[in-house]
Amino acid sequence: MPHVPSAAAGLYEVVGRRRDVRGQFTGEPIAAGTLRRVLAAAHAAPSVGLTQPWDFVLVKGRETKTAMHAHVSREREIFADTLTGERAARFAGIKIDGILESTLSLVVTYDPARGAPAVLGRNTIADAGLYSVCLAIENLWLAATAEDLGVGWVSFYREEFVRGLLGIPDSVRPVAWLCLGPVSHLEITPDLERHGWAARRPLDAAVHHERW
């Protein structure tokens, strides 16, 4: 096998170890310096037109987290009602959030007005700003994994509910509600694979040469 430089090996190790965490949060505090490094990594992400269209809302209050957890639980029930048979049985055993167990929640938003109206690079791809926010989230996720923290992306929510809960302006989009904190461990096999909900497809099935 070709030699992998040590710095690159460390990066690949973190990429492979990263997991979408639900049930392994310990609730222990995060050192202020560690949180700052993770946020700095997110803020260092590339962005279209150097707009840095993201903001980070840190949520530690129990009341707010409890309200969000209740909302997510209702949305889970709505989704569960659409399932039948084996699919319903598998979903029943899947934990979908760690809002109450994690140390804090971190909401990442997208402001399309930042740098507007002439955003360099967004004139032909309207979603380029949203892609930039997703890059910041990935940076945050990998940095957190390198710091032995877990991250869980909660997606069972309505954007208008989160806006109201956190006082986010109507013009700003909440892109991700992330649970963040120390964990007992990171699972070797991702949750959805362990529960038989889905399976990864091999890399070669996703690679195309010259044309689709």
Side-chain angles (χ1 to χ4, degrees):
M1 292 182 61
H3 172 68
V4 178
S6 58
L11 173 61
Y12 292 135
E13 186 271 335
V14 168
V15 169
R17 194 158 54 90
R18 182 213 60 80
R19 290 291 177 268
D20 197 357
V21 177
R22 298 289 184 262
Q24 292 78 45
F25 290 109
T26 66
E28 295 175 1
I30 304 172
T34 302
L35 180 58
R36 183 77 179 179
R37 287 193 297 272
V38 169
L39 291 172
H43 196 56
S47 62
V48 65
L50 196 57
T51 53
Q52 296 181 300
W54 48 73
D55 284 277
F56 309 105
V57 184
L58 306 182
V59 180
K60 298 181 181 179
R62 189 71 179 182
E63 183 176 348
T64 304
K65 291 170 70 175
T66 298
M68 180 62 179
H69 176 69
H71 171 69
V72 168
S73 296
R74 287 192 297 272
E75 292 299 328
R76 178 200 171 98
E77 292 175 1
I78 292 171
F79 179 69
D81 286 343
T82 68
L83 304 175
T84 59
E86 181 182 350
R87 208 64 167 160
R90 289 188 185 280
F91 182 66
I94 296 175
K95 183 175 175 60
I96 63 166
D97 78 89
I99 296 171
L100 299 181
E101 300 88 345
S102 58
T103 306
L104 61 86
S105 289
L106 196 160
V107 180
V108 187
T109 64
Y110 168 49
D111 183 357
R114 194 162 298 153
V119 176
L120 193 157
R122 202 177 70 182
N123 58 310
T124 55
I125 304 176
D127 287 336
L130 185 60
Y131 303 158
S132 300
V133 174
C134 292
L135 290 171
I137 293 168
E138 180 71 359
N139 270 19
L140 184 150
W141 212 327
L142 293 177
T145 303
E147 297 277 3
D148 291 324
L149 299 175
V151 176
W153 189 327
V154 182
S155 55
F156 279 75
Y157 67 81
R158 305 289 174 174
E159 291 186 13
E160 60 271 21
F161 177 86
V162 173
R163 281 198 186 93
L165 183 66
L166 302 182
I168 297 172
D170 290 342
S171 59
V172 174
R173 183 176 181 182
V175 176
W177 185 294
L178 306 175
C179 301
L180 176 67
V183 291
S184 59
H185 65 284
L186 293 175
E187 294 286 356
I188 295 175
T189 304
D191 285 358
L192 296 187
E193 288 187 84
R194 288 191 298 110
H195 287 281
W197 181 266
R200 292 175 182 265
R201 62 175 179 148
L203 172 61
D204 288 344
V207 176
H208 306 262
H209 296 278
E210 306 297 344
R211 295 175 62 85
W212 183 273

